[in-house]
Amino acid sequence: MSGPALTPLHESYAWCRRLTRQTAHNFHFSFLTLPRDRYDAMCVLYAFMRLSDDLGDEPGRSPEQRRRELTHWRQALRAAHAGVPAEHPLWPAFADICRRFALPLEALEAVLDGVERDLEPQPIATFAELEQYCYCVAGAVGVCCIHLWGFRGEDAIPRAIDCGTALQLTNILRDLSEDAGLGRIYLPREDLHRFDYSEDDLRRGVCNDEFRELMRFQVDRARSYYRRAEELFPLVEPVGRPILRTMLKIYGGLLHEIERRRFDVYHSRVRLPRWKKLWFAASSICVAGRLAGERT
């Protein structure tokens, strides 16, 4: 007997688009700057990232159960990357973008390494450890993104990793309270000790002078990655520059909002209004169009 029928390719793409529109929030605004084929590919990549992340956060399951599911998911990833998609609606479109854009398997598997790390959160001692975690959950994603957009030169790879790290550091600062409630503290212990701020202070949402100095240090560190990410612009194909600019503007805007609040991320969630994110997307397209006109 034959196994379950595969989702047709066009339905697989449609499924990924729906998931992206429903859940991507900040990212989806940047996707709108892409032509249709690259937009569809980004939706598929996002769907893979989202479903992978959900495996690590699924409530009601033990770490052992989630680890087994993650092992099966990794096997399905490898099969799809080799051109043999499983019956889940994600995999036919995912196999297609892997083939068309030569997505690196190592980077895709690194994403699952990051998810696996979060199954049983462990304290992060140093920034070097945090940087490696950021590579898994975001820097590797940046590497996959530039394969979808097109790039030239190997120098684009480390700058794409810097871009992902900048965005992930911003996420970590925005989500400090929520993550602490899940038992996840991503700020390195060496930084907490440096500013005399304890993990217990973080869990209790203490917003004192020591916390503000700690956060100022973290924001400055994140901005150093944003500056390096700017060097990626001339290395990606023109089609990818508006989405890159939009991502950096939206997440840089979140970082600015954290600073504007005097670093109080405990009492309400840091977010940007919808109109501002749309404005960033539209202005990025206009900038790209103007620069293209100046070159002709």
Side-chain angles (χ1 to χ4, degrees):
M1 294 179 63
S2 61
L6 286 179
T7 303
L9 185 59
H10 71 281
E11 291 184 14
S12 179
Y13 272 105
W15 186 88
C16 293
R17 286 194 296 268
R18 286 194 300 272
L19 179 67
T20 301
R21 287 195 297 268
Q22 291 165 4
T23 63
H25 306 306
N26 289 327
F27 280 121
H28 187 240
F29 287 95
S30 63
F31 294 1
L32 297 174
T33 65
L34 290 167
R36 183 56 185 263
D37 65 328
R38 308 300 175 93
Y39 169 84
D40 284 348
M42 283 297 296
C43 288
V44 176
L45 180 61
Y46 170 82
F48 167 73
M49 304 301 173
R50 176 66 190 227
L51 294 172
S52 300
D53 192 55
D54 286 349
L55 283 176
D57 289 334
E58 189 174 1
R61 293 183 179 272
S62 69
E64 292 76 18
Q65 289 173 313
R66 286 179 285 165
R67 199 178 304 279
R68 285 195 297 270
E69 291 170 357
L70 189 59
T71 297
H72 293 318
W73 190 249
R74 192 185 293 270
Q75 291 167 349
L77 160 64
R78 292 171 178 170
H81 193 272
V84 188
E87 66 270 14
H88 190 285
L90 165 72
W91 295 123
F94 184 83
D96 189 54
I97 68 167
C98 287
R99 177 185 59 80
R100 291 167 54 210
F101 298 102
L103 294 187
L105 180 60
E106 179 183 9
L108 293 164
E109 292 218 44
V111 173
L112 302 190
D113 294 340
V115 174
E116 187 169 14
R117 182 211 174 279
D118 278 336
L119 294 181
E120 296 180 271
Q122 299 294 321
I124 292 177
T126 66
F127 180 68
E129 291 180 23
L130 176 58
E131 193 174 38
Q132 178 58 34
Y133 172 75
C134 288
Y135 167 72
C136 290
V137 300
V141 180
V143 173
C144 292
C145 286
I146 64 172
H147 279 77
L148 298 184
W149 306 342
F151 67 97
R152 56 182 179 82
E154 290 304 308
D155 288 345
I157 301 294
R159 297 292 78 80
I161 295 171
D162 288 335
C163 182
T165 301
L167 272 54
Q168 185 62 25
L169 290 176
T170 303
N171 279 338
I172 287 170
L173 299 181
R174 180 193 61 187
D175 297 339
L176 277 182
S177 180
E178 178 183 340
D179 287 337
L182 296 171
R184 298 171 179 173
I185 295 178
Y186 294 107
L187 294 185
R189 283 183 167 177
E190 65 180 7
D191 293 346
L192 297 174
H193 293 158
R194 175 177 179 176
F195 292 96
D196 195 24
Y197 190 80
S198 70
E199 292 183 4
D200 187 56
D201 289 334
L202 198 159
R203 294 187 190 95
R204 293 188 293 115
V206 176
C207 191
N208 55 15
D209 288 343
E210 288 80 7
F211 176 71
R212 292 188 178 91
E213 287 304 309
L214 168 66
M215 289 291 282
R216 183 173 289 108
F217 176 79
Q218 303 298 330
V219 167
D220 288 345
R221 173 184 277 160
R223 285 211 172 101
S224 72
Y225 281 89
Y226 279 98
R227 286 192 292 272
R228 292 201 286 275
E230 292 281 341
E231 298 173 15
L232 183 56
F233 279 102
L235 303 178
V236 298
E237 296 298 327
V239 71
R241 293 172 192 171
I243 185 173
L244 173 61
R245 191 178 304 279
T246 303
M247 284 181 173
L248 293 178
K249 282 182 174 292
I250 289 175
Y251 279 83
L254 290 172
L255 201 64
H256 176 76
E257 180 63 16
I258 290 170
E259 194 170 40
R260 190 191 68 79
R261 294 185 183 199
R262 298 189 67 234
F263 310 108
D264 184 357
V265 294
Y266 290 127
H267 294 98
S268 63
R269 184 171 176 80
V270 176
R271 62 180 77 244
L272 298 180
R274 176 184 172 87
W275 69 263
K276 182 169 285 190
K277 290 182 282 192
L278 285 169
W279 169 256
F280 285 150
S283 63
S284 296
I285 294 172
C286 290
V287 167
R290 187 183 71 245
L291 293 176
E294 289 174 355
R295 288 192 292 269
T296 59

